[in-house]
Amino acid sequence: MSSVIEVRNLKKAYGSLIAVDDISFDVIEGEIFGMVGPNGAGKTTTIECIEGLCQQDEGSVQLLGMNPVEDRRKIANQIGIQLQESALPQRIRVAEAMNLFASFYERRANVDKLLDTMGLTEKRSSSFKKLSGGQKQRLFIALALINKPRVVFFDELTTGLDPQARRTMWELVRKIREQGCTVFLTTHFMEEAERLCDRVLIIDRGNLVSLDTPEAMIRSLGVENRLVFTLPGDQVAPELGNLPQVSHVEQFGERVVVYGQGARFASSVVYALEDAEVDFVDLRTEQPNLEDVFLSLTGEEMRE
């Protein structure tokens, strides 16, 4: 597959603040590519340089084989953009907004079909101010797709949404990719990137920390599984560190966290607890995720 985005040695500073510091990567046609990191990591600056909304200080950017600044008009007809902070006039109706944006382009999607895909058919006559947060986000997605783009950019798409609305957005993003569109998204929600993205670039303080599939990142770091349970009363966890699958154990009051790996990790711990006749409740396993990867690579928890 060919690259639709090529970034080489990208640098951007605002005065003494270095927002993006010498990062390089490609985005492959047809993939969902995620750029993740905490707020202030440099995600929005990077995506704005790719879109041509911001001129980099050093390095080069190619979008669909073109310079996003010099070839802005040509590129605009082939990409869709949902900005981190978007707004419309409060009284404009959904269908009016769709038709207005469609008028900007020569190539246009079918408005009725697009509203149906976004679950907004019943809201086509509603004003923008009467839409819920999730409905507004779906409208902005629809507006980003109105020109049938080859590449669509979503910047912090689900920020401010409740968990149910966030998962609805995830399904919409998958449908967009299934229709042949390359998706580039930025997020500070690691779970979102892990669920959605074919590949993920982790950025922190303007630096590229890691770039790979979520599965490969987790696997290559050897991040351990966790088994968490509660010991009611004043019980002390039995000696579990001697089990070959267990690396170490932490106890915080009644809460116990056991770290380890292997196919029999969980069962070996449960059998040891039963053999020791320890009463335990609220047992659950926690799989390693991109949060663990970020912590391992940067030494810090994800920052909001």
Side-chain angles (χ1 to χ4, degrees):
M1 298 295 287
S2 60
S3 298
V4 294
I5 297 172
E6 298 178 4
V7 176
R8 298 290 180 269
N9 306 112
L10 178 66
K11 291 186 178 182
K12 179 64 180 177
Y14 298 97
S16 61
L17 174 64
I18 300 176
V20 182
D21 191 8
D22 194 21
I23 67 173
S24 301
F25 62 92
D26 293 341
V27 177
I28 307 303
E29 184 177 8
E31 73 175 337
I32 300 177
F33 183 91
M35 176 178 287
V36 305
N39 289 333
K43 303 187 301 298
T44 297
T45 298
T46 299
I47 202 172
E48 287 180 348
C49 288
I50 296 171
E51 295 164 345
L53 301 176
C54 178
Q55 176 67 59
Q56 70 268 17
D57 297 328
E58 297 181 32
S60 64
V61 177
Q62 290 283 303
L63 173 55
L64 297 173
M66 295 176 279
N67 183 301
V69 175
E70 296 176 1
D71 302 310
R72 177 65 184 157
R73 281 194 168 187
K74 294 180 182 178
I75 288 176
N77 287 314
Q78 302 183 60
I79 66 171
I81 299 175
Q82 171 269 326
L83 299 174
Q84 184 172 347
E85 295 184 7
S86 303
L88 288 170
Q90 292 295 305
R91 294 184 179 180
I92 194 169
R93 300 185 186 279
V94 169
E96 291 174 341
M98 293 291 290
N99 290 324
L100 174 63
F101 275 64
S103 70
F104 300 154
Y105 304 100
E106 295 179 1
R107 187 172 66 169
R108 306 163 188 171
N110 183 288
V111 170
D112 291 335
K113 289 183 178 179
L114 195 49
L115 288 177
D116 183 60
T117 299
M118 295 297 127
L120 292 172
T121 299
E122 295 181 356
K123 297 294 180 179
R124 61 178 295 114
S125 298
S126 299
S127 62
F128 179 74
K129 68 179 180 180
K130 292 184 178 180
L131 300 180
S132 68
Q135 290 167 345
K136 288 179 180 178
Q137 287 291 60
R138 278 183 273 156
L139 176 57
F140 290 132
I141 293 178
L143 295 174
L145 299 175
I146 195 66
N147 61 329
K148 298 164 57 172
R150 292 178 56 190
V151 183
V152 64
F153 295 89
F154 296 134
D155 191 9
E156 298 289 357
L157 179 65
T158 62
T159 297
L161 299 184
D162 60 62
Q164 182 177 354
R166 183 172 296 141
R167 282 165 175 75
T168 298
M169 290 298 164
W170 295 352
E171 290 303 315
L172 291 176
V173 171
R174 293 188 183 101
K175 287 182 181 179
I176 293 167
R177 193 267 293 276
E178 290 170 1
Q179 295 170 359
C181 186
T182 302
V183 178
F184 187 117
L185 64 87
T186 71
T187 181
H188 65 276
F189 296 117
M190 290 299 198
E191 180 189 10
E192 183 164 283
E194 190 172 340
R195 295 279 191 93
L196 279 179
C197 298
D198 300 301
R199 290 189 303 140
V200 172
L201 183 156
I202 296 179
I203 186 172
D204 187 36
R205 294 184 171 87
N207 296 292
L208 193 158
V209 177
S210 182
L211 173 59
D212 211 328
T213 66
E215 297 80 9
M217 284 185 182
I218 294 169
R219 185 171 58 250
S220 65
L221 287 174
V223 180
E224 296 174 311
N225 293 314
R226 297 183 293 271
L227 191 67
V228 183
F229 56 89
T230 300
L231 296 178
D234 297 325
Q235 297 182 91
V236 177
E239 180 56 54
L240 300 171
N242 294 330
L243 297 174
Q245 297 86 356
V246 174
S247 63
H248 66 287
V249 181
E250 297 176 349
Q251 183 166 356
F252 309 94
E254 295 183 345
R255 183 174 182 267
V256 180
V257 183
V258 184
Y259 298 82
Q261 293 180 325
R264 292 179 53 80
F265 165 61
S267 60
S268 66
V269 172
V270 171
Y271 290 149
L273 293 173
E274 292 178 341
D275 288 343
E277 298 183 346
V278 172
D279 295 325
F280 59 92
V281 295
D282 300 330
L283 179 73
R284 67 184 186 279
T285 58
E286 295 181 353
Q287 300 297 321
N289 53 37
L290 286 183
E291 292 273 3
D292 298 299
V293 173
F294 185 87
L295 176 61
S296 178
L297 291 174
T298 67
E300 297 179 310
E301 298 282 353
M302 273 289 291
R303 306 182 302 278
E304 289 296 327

